[in-house]
């Protein structure tokens, strides 16, 4: 447990000074992610936005506030989850991260975080996160579902920033209910 924590902190420290892809040039702060090393659930978004870049913390802006509401509604304690993103630095103007940025960042950091934490379930938020793990999956087909692989469960829904569209917000709310109902 102790060692796992240390390794996770070491990774965070490496992320904070990383220059492995072009995104380092645009960041104020890299956002490694946060949560306990023994988290059973990991939530993975796309990339830091403006508030996250300012603070170095994941999901604390508008999308983060909506995520907090979803977690509260489903009686999930945010402090027990490890929350992070596919890429750890904010892309300029919040553009979608490019394939090479995703490959470099996820190989070096996200994959290692997952290996250390070994979560029982990973909840993927939005297309970028989904495609990173399941290249051929369409969210329109898989949102709200849970699939089981040899290592763990994966669940899928839209990105909370898409909640500005009422239709999608309702889908996300229902997906969270379904997903956490199924794993209770
Ligand atoms: N959107 C994301 O994908 N991640 C964050 O941390 C914040 C907003
Ligand atoms: Fe490094 Fe990832 Fe930031 Fe690119 S996005 S500089 S790989 S931490």
């Amino acid at each position: 447990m102790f060692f796992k924590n240390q390794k996770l902190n070491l990774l965070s420290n490496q992320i904070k000074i990383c220059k492995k892809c072009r995104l380092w040039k645009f960041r104020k702060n890299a956002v490694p992610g946060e949560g306990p090393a023994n988290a059973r659930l990991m939530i993975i978004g796309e990339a830091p936005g403006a508030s996250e870049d300012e603070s170095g913390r994941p999901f604390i802006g508008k999308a983060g506030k909506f995520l907090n509401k979803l977690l509260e509604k489903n009686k999930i304690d945010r402090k027990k989850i490890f929350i992070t993103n596919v890429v750890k630095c904010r892309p300029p103007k919040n553009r979608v991260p490019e394939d090479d940025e995703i490959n470099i960042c996820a190989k070096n950091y996200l994959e290692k975080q997952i290996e250390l934490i070994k979560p029982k379930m990973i909840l993927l938020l939005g297309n970028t996160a989904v495609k990173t793990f399941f290249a051929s999956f369409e969210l329109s087909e898989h949102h709200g579902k849970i699939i089981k692989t040899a290592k763990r469960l994966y669940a899928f829904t839209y990105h909370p920033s898409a909640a500005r569209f009422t239709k999608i917000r309702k889908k996300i709310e229902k997906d969270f209910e379904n997903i956490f109902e199924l794993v209770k």
Side-chain angles (χ1 to χ4, degrees), residues 125-150:
L125 302 179
N127 216 25
T128 299
V130 170
K131 295 276 184 193
T132 301
F133 289 79
F134 301 93
S136 66
F137 270 32
E138 292 302 328
L139 256 179
S140 55
E141 200 180 312
H142 288 280
H143 74 93
K145 288 189 190 161
I146 296 181
I147 68 152
K148 195 174 175 171
T149 68

Side-chain angles (χ1 to χ4, degrees), residues 21 32 34 46 55 91 107 109 112-113 136 151 161 163 175:
C21 86
E34 61 188 28
E46 177 173 299
S55 64
K107 266 260 150 348
Y109 304 118
K112 290 180 186 163
Q113 289 172 322
S136 66
K151 285 192 175 163
S161 67
D175 287 349

Side-chain angles (χ1 to χ4, degrees), residues 59 63 66 158-165 172:
F59 281 102
F66 180 54
Y158 296 93
H159 194 282
S161 67
R164 61 184 183 279
F165 307 107
I172 299 175

Side-chain angles (χ1 to χ4, degrees), residues 8-181:
L8 207 54
N9 286 339
L10 192 68
L11 266 182
S12 293
N13 290 335
Q14 287 169 349
I15 290 167
K16 286 178 194 163
I17 54 165
C18 174
K19 294 185 176 178
K20 288 187 196 286
C21 86
R22 66 183 77 75
L23 291 180
W24 76 269
K25 291 182 200 152
F26 309 102
R27 74 176 175 228
K28 281 189 189 149
N29 292 290
V31 183
E34 61 188 28
N38 64 351
R40 298 179 62 208
L41 171 64
M42 236 173 131
I43 294 185
I44 302 176
E46 177 173 299
S51 321
E52 292 78 21
D53 181 55
E54 278 295 332
S55 64
R57 296 186 54 209
F59 281 102
I60 59 152
K62 203 167 171 201
K65 297 224 163 71
F66 180 54
L67 176 63
N68 289 347
K69 270 198 200 142
L70 292 164
L71 293 172
E72 269 166 41
K73 248 193 189 163
N74 290 283
K75 302 192 167 56
I76 310 289
D77 185 356
R78 177 167 165 148
K79 289 194 292 297
K80 292 188 177 160
I81 306 171
F82 195 90
I83 303 184
T84 189
N85 288 297
V86 172
V87 302
K88 315 302 194 192
C89 301
R90 182 194 182 197
K93 297 189 183 144
N94 295 345
R95 67 158 167 75
V96 176
E98 290 175 10
D99 286 348
D100 63 328
E101 295 158 356
I102 292 174
N103 288 338
I104 295 169
C105 200
K107 266 260 150 348
N108 281 282
Y109 304 118
L110 181 63
E111 282 185 13
K112 290 180 186 163
Q113 289 172 322
I114 294 170
E115 263 168 40
L116 283 170
I117 295 167
K118 294 192 172 53
K120 296 263 183 298
M121 183 163 92
I122 293 181
L123 171 57
L124 300 169
L125 302 179
N127 216 25
T128 299
V130 170
K131 295 276 184 193
T132 301
F133 289 79
F134 301 93
S136 66
F137 270 32
E138 292 302 328
L139 256 179
S140 55
E141 200 180 312
H142 288 280
H143 74 93
K145 288 189 190 161
I146 296 181
I147 68 152
K148 195 174 175 171
T149 68
K151 285 192 175 163
R152 65 184 61 88
L153 304 175
Y154 288 88
F156 311 86
T157 192
Y158 296 93
H159 194 282
S161 67
R164 61 184 183 279
F165 307 107
T166 309
K167 256 193 184 162
I168 307 247
R169 177 172 52 76
K170 289 190 174 149
K171 284 185 185 174
I172 299 175
E173 286 168 347
K174 195 143 182 286
D175 287 349
F176 264 73
E177 262 175 46
N178 285 346
I179 288 163
F180 290 111
E181 190 56 44

